[in-house]
Amino acid sequence: MISSFAHAVAQRPARERLLLAVFLGVVVPVAFVFLLALPLLEQRDAARSALADAQANRAWYVLRQAEIAALPQNGEAPVVATRAAVGLGGIEESLIAANLRASVSLLANVQGDDVSLTINAVRFEALMGWIDTVEADAGYHLSALRLEQGGGDGLVTAELRLEPQQ
C-alpha cells in the first residue's frame, strides 16, 4: 500500500508533489492542533478549575460540620428562644441606656404592637449597637430601616419599624 502511494506521488509533477508535501507538513499538523490538541487542553483546564472549586467547597463544608450538626433533624422544629416584647417603655429605657433618647423625634405604636421610631443625627455605630440590643433583649426584630446621612461624619438619621418577635 505504501509502495503504491509512493508510486502515485512519483507520477505527479513537481508542483503537485510540493503542494502535497506542504499539505502533509503544515496543514495536517495545524488541523491536529486546532481540532484536537487545543480543545483537550481547554477541557483539562476546565477540569482543574472545577476540581479546585470542589475542593474549596469541601473545605468550607468541613469547617461547617459543627453548625450542620446543630441543625434540626428530620422535620424537628428549631428551638428559637423569643422574649416577650417590652413595649414602648422598655424601648425608651434601652434608648436612655444607649444615650440615644435625646435624638428620638418619634416613638409610637403603629398597627398593634409594632413600634415606629425616628432618630436624628446619631452615630451610625451607636445606632447599630442599639438595634442589636433591641433584637437580643427587648423581644423585637427590625422589620424596616431607612438611613440617611445626618449632617456630620458618621451621623445618620434613621427611620425604624420594630415588630414583636413571634
Side-chain angles (χ1 to χ4, degrees):
M1 179 155 161
I2 292 176
S3 63
S4 63
F5 178 71
H7 182 66
V9 170
Q11 297 288 331
R12 300 287 172 201
R15 182 175 170 211
E16 287 183 15
R17 285 193 304 257
L18 178 64
L19 288 174
L20 187 58
V22 168
F23 177 76
L24 291 175
V26 175
V27 174
V28 171
V30 167
F32 171 78
V33 167
F34 283 106
L35 296 176
L36 188 63
L38 289 179
L40 287 175
L41 291 173
E42 289 174 2
Q43 285 179 351
R44 184 184 68 183
D45 291 341
R48 285 182 179 167
S49 175
L51 176 63
D53 288 345
Q55 288 172 336
N57 285 340
R58 182 184 181 281
W60 177 87
Y61 179 78
V62 167
L63 291 173
R64 300 298 179 278
Q65 286 299 307
E67 296 171 22
I68 291 169
L71 292 174
Q73 300 294 321
N74 297 333
E76 293 176 8
V79 177
V80 178
T82 60
R83 298 182 58 127
V86 295
L88 288 180
I91 291 175
E92 189 167 15
E93 286 179 17
S94 69
L95 286 165
I96 292 168
N99 293 324
L100 297 175
R101 181 60 180 111
S103 301
V104 174
S105 63
L106 173 69
L107 175 61
N109 275 343
V110 291
Q111 294 182 350
D113 292 333
D114 292 2
V115 175
S116 181
L117 276 143
T118 301
I119 303 175
N120 298 311
V122 295
R123 302 262 333 142
F124 178 77
E125 299 86 10
L127 177 65
M128 291 300 117
W130 177 79
I131 290 172
D132 286 342
T133 302
V134 165
E135 289 186 337
D137 299 333
Y140 286 93
H141 72 276
L142 186 66
S143 64
L145 174 65
R146 180 177 171 206
L147 294 174
E148 293 179 6
Q149 189 172 0
D153 290 334
L155 296 180
V156 294
T157 296
E159 295 177 11
L160 299 96
R161 185 171 193 135
L162 302 173
E163 293 180 354
Q165 294 177 356
Q166 296 296 329

